[in-house]
Amino acid sequence: MTDIVYLNGQFLALAEARVPVLDRGFIFGDGVYEVIPVYSRHPFRMREHLLRLQQSLAGLRLDSPHTLEEWEKLVVDLIERNELQDQSVYLQVTRGPAPRDQAFPKQVVPTVFLMCMELVAPPRELVEQGASAVSARDIRWDRCDLKVISLLPNVLLRQMSADVGAAETIMFRDDILTEGSASNIFAVENGVILTPPKDNHVLPGITYDVVLELAAAAGIPVEFGHFEKARIRRADELWCTSSTKEILAIVELDGQPVANGKPGPIFRRMYQLYQAYKNEVMRHG
Ligand code: PDD
């Protein structure tokens, strides 16, 4: 975490930033967020992240306190005030402080908070050896397309993998693959990439889009669908993707190896394509 944050119109030191205890983010988890990766001080796909923010706000029936241009300026201004080369900008909007009542307050004064965190790509060893994951029933609500701050199910699900030293929890709703606790999931079967379609059961990941674009450019076929757990367990490869994890191979699921227990050839190709894209495109804005 770096020093300077943005809170409701002011740039200030993190230690100085305060929100009232009756903020609906604190009381109800009534808010949305974004995590925007920044490479060599260039925010990556900022517009796409901010459009997703606007969709999340609309899902909460919360008017955006800023236009796209104003959001962009805030993000850029915050990056300028922090020294890190690679960072992730965390942006949160809540329905603001109000007497505790579940119905919306008449007068909404949203709380807007932005901070920067260091962005550290997964270590080389993890990329080369792959990570482990556990599976769990997707216990979330049915608007998982919205990036909301009420992350209790994700927190509990993620802790299930943390408890056994695994990197991610992969969720299944009625036995059908949805996503990871904080990532999208891809599998590979006979050279074809399998992934769930964008619907209300998954977050429309920005990294998911990048992976699909890279796959299309490389001529790797993709099948969108609702894949049963047994099929995912038998897959040749399994990956998770997010703005902070990039692309990571999952080589063990619930203590069992995925195929031969090593990152597969399509993962290695995608990883290389992603790194090349990062260095040639993302780092140059
Ligand atoms: N999470 N699915 C979920 C549930 C997520 O929380 C995330 C990202 C993703 C991947 O989205 P993207 O590729 O746009 O980062 C998918 C962020 C990083 C977080 O909560 O920290």
Side-chain angles (χ1 to χ4, degrees), residues 159-231:
Q159 189 57 33
M160 288 169 64
S161 47
D163 283 342
V164 295
E168 182 56 301
T169 302
I170 301 179
M171 299 182 279
F172 295 83
R173 189 183 285 259
D174 299 327
D175 212 40
I176 300 296
L177 172 68
T178 55
E179 60 181 338
S181 67
S183 61
N184 291 107
I185 303 292
F186 293 82
V188 176
E189 192 182 69
N190 302 323
V192 179
I193 296 176
L194 313 181
T195 197
K198 283 185 186 173
D199 62 16
N200 58 317
H201 291 152
V202 297
L203 186 80
I206 307 293
T207 321
Y208 168 103
D209 285 340
V210 175
V211 166
L212 293 177
E213 287 166 28
L214 294 174
I220 307 170
V222 177
E223 183 185 330
F224 298 96
H226 297 111
F227 303 106
E228 287 180 2
K229 194 172 188 174
R231 188 162 167 195

Side-chain angles (χ1 to χ4, degrees), residues 7 50 78 161 243 249 256 262 270 276:
L7 180 64
L50 294 174
L78 185 69
S161 47
S243 296
Q256 299 294 314
K262 296 198 173 79
M270 278 310 293

